[in-house]
Amino acid sequence: MLAENVAKEARKDALVIGCAAQALAAGSPPGAAALERLLADARAIDRQFLARAAALPLRLEIPYARIEPLRRRRIALGLELAYRSLAAWRGGQRLREQWSAQELEERLRAMLVLYCEEATEVGRGVRTSGPLAALRGHAAVHLRQVMVEVAGRLAAEAARALHRPRFAAQKKP
């Protein structure tokens, strides 16, 4: 199920990048209608995931009233990041010229932390029985802390990697 969850999130991210590419081809940044379409697509992907998860010994209710504001902000950040990056690439500009390390790190961290918050809210919708029920609350708090910590490190590492020189200067003999 973990692998399916990762694949589900990758499909959602691919839709965001594809939407940014379509908007770039049309000549203007993605607007509110694109964001609403992506939210609807994300809900459809969630429904497919829930159908496959029905065989598990748990019940999962996705609290859209709590996660959609988080998801909306995360998708909006992702759209902007993808649109600006694709526009720079299309214009022959290097991404390190488009994004300072600090700006990229801040954007990535914000997106990842919003994902952590979203995952925490989804976790509150998990209903289990037996020994798993007693562990769920404690595990969720610890998991959120770990996810936020890793999100910060991952964002910093990605920003540094983009700004790392590709080739060391070679000395002439």
Side-chain angles (χ1 to χ4, degrees), residues 4-152:
E4 282 198 40
N5 188 56
V6 170
K8 168 181 67 88
E9 294 305 319
R11 283 198 319 269
K12 292 176 190 177
D13 291 340
L15 289 174
V16 170
I17 294 165
C19 180
Q22 288 173 347
L24 183 62
S28 63
L35 181 59
E36 293 306 316
R37 188 174 60 253
L38 288 167
L39 284 167
D41 290 345
R43 283 190 297 272
I45 291 170
D46 290 341
R47 282 192 298 276
Q48 294 166 1
F49 177 77
L50 290 173
R52 286 190 297 277
L56 294 176
L58 57 86
R59 199 174 80 223
L60 177 59
E61 297 169 3
I62 298 179
Y64 284 108
R66 293 195 311 259
I67 68 165
E68 284 217 334
L70 301 166
R71 187 176 277 180
R72 180 182 305 278
R73 290 185 2 229
R74 181 170 59 91
I75 289 173
L77 283 169
L79 275 172
E80 181 196 10
L81 184 70
Y83 184 84
R84 281 181 56 189
S85 297
L86 290 169
W89 182 59
R90 185 178 188 194
Q93 188 181 30
R94 292 182 176 181
L95 289 181
R96 68 178 75 186
E97 295 166 357
Q98 175 65 34
W99 298 100
S100 72
Q102 180 179 351
E103 185 180 19
L104 181 61
E105 181 179 341
E106 288 170 0
R107 299 291 169 99
L108 291 174
R109 179 180 282 121
M111 286 176 57
L112 291 170
V113 168
L114 284 166
Y115 177 75
C116 295
E117 297 299 328
E118 192 178 325
T120 299
E121 291 300 331
V122 169
R124 289 186 177 127
V126 174
R127 302 290 176 246
T128 59
S129 59
L132 290 177
L135 294 173
R136 188 179 63 82
H138 177 71
V141 169
H142 181 69
L143 180 60
R144 183 191 173 283
Q145 290 170 343
V146 169
M147 286 176 69
V148 168
E149 179 184 320
V150 170

